[in-house]
């Protein structure tokens, strides 16, 4: 099976992404990503045997990053991959931590899982359209936010016209607002 770690949007976030994608004017071969496929890839794992799933789930379960809010404030055409993405110019430290730790934890297994695979640097983005050969005229995107409270291990089936993704497992991120310390109470007797 083909797997990757990703942030998976809830229904409200998915609707905000779809709303940002609505202004895109696409021509020719270009295809919109269906709303049910919106995601933010954290780490691509690749083809693995079913027997390796447990190792990946253990890596997911062991993460201790906090949640965060990502502001998507730019719409960009990436020529190399022929995609249009919603991108975040500022990446929250908590997201960088999750991304870094996942990679560190995957590294000892990566050679076996996906030989020769190189991880690109983090460019926090949600792909909105694919096969966009010509840079479209991009209108200013109406910015949207994504309040991230969990991350997932996702299975990808790329055999059809559109990839079909299935969430295999989801783990919560830690609460981003530190709990107020209990104040000591003194009682005069
Ligand atoms: P297709 O490759 O047929 O267009 P897809 O890209 O939707 O399908 P996958 O190739 O399984 O599906 O990729 C799943 C996710 O992982 C996508 O977000 C994709 O951009 C990302 N991804 C795929 N390959 C890599 C890679 N080598 N490095 C980093 N991210 C990757
Ligand atoms: Mg791909």
């Amino acid at each position: 099976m083909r797997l990757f770690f990703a942030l998976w949007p809830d229904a409200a976030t998915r609707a905000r992404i779809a709303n940002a994608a609505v202004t895109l004017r696409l021509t020719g071969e270009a295809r919109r990503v269906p709303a049910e496929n919106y995601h933010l890839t954290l780490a691509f794992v690749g083809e693995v045997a079913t027997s390796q799933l447990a190792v990946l789930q253990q890596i997911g379960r062991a993460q201790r990053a906090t949640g965060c809010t990502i502001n998507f404030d730019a719409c960009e055409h990436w020529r190399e991959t022929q995609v249009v993405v919603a991108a975040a110019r500022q990446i929250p430290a908590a997201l960088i931590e999750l991304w870094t730790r996942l990679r560190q934890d995957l590294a000892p297994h990566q050679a076996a899982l996906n030989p020769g695979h190189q991880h690109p640097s983090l460019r926090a983005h949600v792909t909105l359209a694919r096969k966009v050969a010509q840079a479209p005229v991009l209108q200013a995107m109406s910015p949207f936010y994504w309040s991230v409270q969990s991350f997932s291990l996702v299975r990808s089936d790329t055999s059809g016209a559109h990839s079909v993704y299935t969430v295999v497992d989801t783990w919560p991120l830690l609460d981003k607002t530190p709990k107020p310390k209990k104040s000591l109470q003194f009682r005069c007797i």
Side-chain angles (χ1 to χ4, degrees), residues 2 44 130 156 158 163 165:
R2 189 175 167 94
F44 182 71
R130 291 173 175 271
S156 165
T158 57
S163 309
Y165 304 132

